[in-house]
Structure formats: structure tokens, C-alpha cells
Amino acid sequence: MNETPVEVPAPRHGREPAPSIRDVAAAAGVSRQTVSRVLNASPKVSAETRRTVMEVIERLRYRPNRVARALGTGRARGVTVVTSDTMLYGYASTLQGIEEAARVEGLAVGVRVVESDRESDVRNAADYVSDPSAGGVIVIAFDAAGIAVLRALPESLPAAAAIEPGVPVVGRPAICLDEQQASAEATRHLLALGHRTVHHVAIPSESEHNGRLAGWRRALDEAGAAVPPVVPAGWDVRSAYEAGRVLAADSGVTAILCGNDDIALAVRRALFEAGKDVPGDVSIVGFDGVPGSAYWTPALTTVEMDFAGLGRATVAAVLAELAGEPQPAVSLTPPRLVVRESTAPPRAHGAR
């Protein structure tokens, strides 16, 4: 396809009929089928052709007939996101990425919150998104409730998931971030500072084999360091604060890897109340890369995660499912350890 500028008819106004898909095809110099592939995000269309068609669509102010397209595919031209939470940073950032990608593709986005992993709640959520009006389905399966919904969906339903590593999902596109490697890197950072071991306050539903818990344990094993008992916390900061109080009472604790940044903030509060200085007495590392963590006192060392990219990737995956196309290649920014003020070598009297 040459790069000669495309002549596009002026936008229509007044009572003239709205432009059709045939008008778009004629103006772009492509077939009607090619325009349809562009609208359905088919990977078979070249980037140059896609840009040309999208330019014509914008200049003609062409808007697809969503009703006709829904009848053609059996599903509405949109996505419904199933999630158990819309406020926690990882969930919210993944949802943001989904919304950004959906907007580019001209998709409507709906959200269905699943209250818990109880059978009734899971079934209600699965039934809701099984209706064709829900369009493609994206499940944010970072926890037991999301995983349960994903497994309850009918096999014929076009769906994709943003998922916790290590969770087996058969027959669904499931995309995850490399939490194990990131967690191992954070643990190695603390060990390299001279800490004899690293304690871990874990978020719920961590994978024993591929998630944050596994990376922490692997790094300790590789270094020949003692593996302390895991201190569990819920998604609420109160439970993390209580976990922090337990660790603050142990004089042998000099380094803590927290399951996310909210946990780190609560643990920091418990240490402060116990008279423990961070990082003088105890070093803390968070997880997820909440933007505000750079402005805490002390600024938090954390692992930045590409949740928005994860959300965008799930949109591409579910569009391929809707179109019956092969799954596109996934390209995500790898997790990155950001070292700040909350980590330092242990004081001589605090080492064990």
C-alpha cells in the first residue's frame, strides 16, 4: 500500500444520511471486509492500513451500528469487567488500563463487582456476564472470588483474565505479571544490605509456586538464609497493622517484605508506635508501586508493577476471542524495584 495521502470526503451535515462502512472502505481504498477487520481489532490488518482506515473513520465521523454488530457476533460490542474490588491500587490500575484500551477500540465498558467467593455470589456474577449484552468478559482474578468466577464461566463465553501467577486456568487467555522474579529481587536487595533474613507479610491468595510468596522464599533459599514463618494479612489495612505489631515485638526482625504498599504503610505505623525507626531498626519494602509511596516518610522502596499494561493486554486478548482470531503477543513492562529511603543496612545491634 503506497503512502499517497488519502482524499477523504468532507463530513456530512444536516439531513444527509450518515456515512456507511462502504463509504469508509471507498475513501480508504480498501475492501469492506478490511474495514470490518479494523473495527474488530483483527491482527491480520497491517499497522499502516489500520492507521489509514481509522483516519477515514474519524474524518467521516463514521460510527458503527452496534446493534448490527452485536447480532453478527452474538455478543454486544463492549466488555464487562468482573472484579471483587475497584479501590485497591492493583485492581484500580488494571481497570484503568482496560478502560483506556477499550476507549481506543470504541468499546463500552461495564463493571460487575463480585461480593465474595461464596457459591451464590460467584454464580450471580457468572450468570450476569453470560448474557450477550455483557459483550466480551474480562475477569480481574487476583483473589479467590475472581478465580472462582473465571472457572464458573461457560466455555463458550469469550473471556480473558488478568490473573495471579501460578493459578491454573484451562481454555482461557490468562495474563499475569512476573511477581515471583520481582519478589525475589526485592528480597535479594535486603539480603545484599546485610540483613540475615527477610520477614514477609503476605496478601491473601498468593500463589505458593509462582507469586510473591514463592519469589521471597526462593531468594532466601538460594542465599542459604533462614525462612521465617509467613505473617498473613487481609486486604484491609487493619489486619496489616496487626501483623506489623507482631513483627515490631520481635527484636530479631530487621527487614520486612510487604505484600503490597498499603500493607507497608500499616506495618510502618505499627513499627513507629513500637519505637522502631525505619530504616534504622527495620527496613521495609512494599509492592505494586503506588505513586504516593515516593512521598511517604521515609519514601518507600517498592516494586513497580505494570497493571495498566496488564489491563490493556486483556482487552486485546478478549477482542481476539470475540473475533475468533489467534491470541496476540503480550508485551508488558517488567516489574521494577525502586530503591528509596525505607531500606538500609541493619544496625550492628539489630543484626542476628
Side-chain angles (χ1 to χ4, degrees):
M1 190 171 182
N2 61 43
E3 297 188 5
T4 304
V6 177
E7 292 187 6
V8 181
R12 308 176 184 206
H13 302 283
R15 297 182 179 274
E16 294 186 24
S20 69
I21 192 170
R22 291 183 175 81
D23 295 326
V24 174
V30 299
S31 69
R32 181 180 178 278
Q33 289 77 10
T34 297
V35 177
S36 179
R37 291 190 186 100
V38 170
L39 292 170
N40 286 289
S42 169
K44 293 183 178 180
V45 181
S46 71
E48 180 184 354
T49 300
R50 189 181 303 279
R51 282 194 299 270
T52 300
V53 172
M54 292 304 296
E55 177 187 347
V56 172
I57 286 172
E58 289 302 315
R59 293 189 184 181
L60 284 182
R61 299 180 184 175
Y62 170 70
R63 294 296 177 263
N65 185 328
R66 299 185 186 279
V67 174
R69 290 168 71 178
L71 291 172
T73 64
R75 305 289 298 181
R77 177 67 177 177
V79 294
T80 298
V81 183
V82 180
T83 179
S84 67
D85 197 289
T86 59
M87 298 295 291
L88 287 169
Y89 179 73
Y91 294 77
S93 295
T94 303
L95 188 57
Q96 177 186 347
I98 291 169
E99 193 281 327
E100 289 172 351
R103 188 176 349 122
V104 169
E105 298 291 346
L107 300 171
V109 178
V111 177
R112 173 73 177 192
V113 174
V114 55
E115 298 291 339
S116 74
D117 61 351
R118 290 193 300 268
E119 183 178 355
S120 58
D121 290 335
V122 170
R123 176 50 52 197
N124 285 340
D127 288 347
Y128 179 87
V129 297
S130 295
D131 188 283
S133 65
V137 178
I138 297 174
V139 182
I140 301 179
F142 294 159
D143 52 36
I147 293 166
V149 171
L150 186 62
R151 290 173 173 165
L153 296 179
E155 291 184 6
S156 60
L157 190 68
I163 201 162
E164 183 182 15
V167 176
V169 178
V170 179
R172 301 281 186 200
I175 306 168
C176 63
L177 297 165
D178 191 356
E179 296 183 353
Q180 181 179 159
Q181 181 59 33
S183 181
E185 182 182 359
T187 304
R188 292 190 195 105
H189 166 67
L190 290 165
L191 294 173
L193 290 172
H195 296 278
R196 299 291 182 86
T197 190
V198 178
H199 290 71
H200 182 42
V201 181
I203 57 177
S205 302
E206 286 195 46
S207 169
E208 290 283 344
H209 304 291
N210 292 297
R212 304 176 190 194
L213 179 62
W216 163 77
R217 183 176 287 115
R218 189 186 83 195
L220 292 178
D221 286 340
E222 290 173 351
V227 181
V230 174
V231 182
W235 292 112
D236 60 298
V237 291
R238 178 71 194 187
S239 67
Y241 168 77
E242 295 297 340
R245 292 183 64 187
V246 171
L247 292 174
D250 185 344
S251 61
V253 174
T254 67
I256 304 172
L257 173 64
C258 298
N260 64 30
D261 291 342
D262 288 339
I263 286 176
L265 180 62
V267 168
R268 168 73 181 91
R269 177 68 190 186
L271 291 169
F272 171 78
E273 291 181 357
K276 297 289 183 75
D277 179 65
V278 176
D281 296 314
V282 181
S283 288
I284 299 178
V285 176
F287 222 100
D288 289 352
V290 172
S293 64
Y295 302 97
W296 296 354
T297 303
L300 182 68
T301 295
T302 186
V303 177
E304 287 187 349
M305 303 285 281
D306 186 17
F307 288 114
L310 180 63
R312 290 190 290 269
T314 61
V315 172
V318 81
L319 282 174
E321 289 286 287
L322 282 164
E325 302 285 358
Q327 282 296 309
V330 176
S331 178
L332 299 173
T333 302
R336 181 174 71 99
L337 180 66
V338 181
V339 178
R340 299 193 182 112
E341 299 166 351
S342 68
T343 53
R347 289 176 177 165
H349 72 272
R352 291 290 186 271

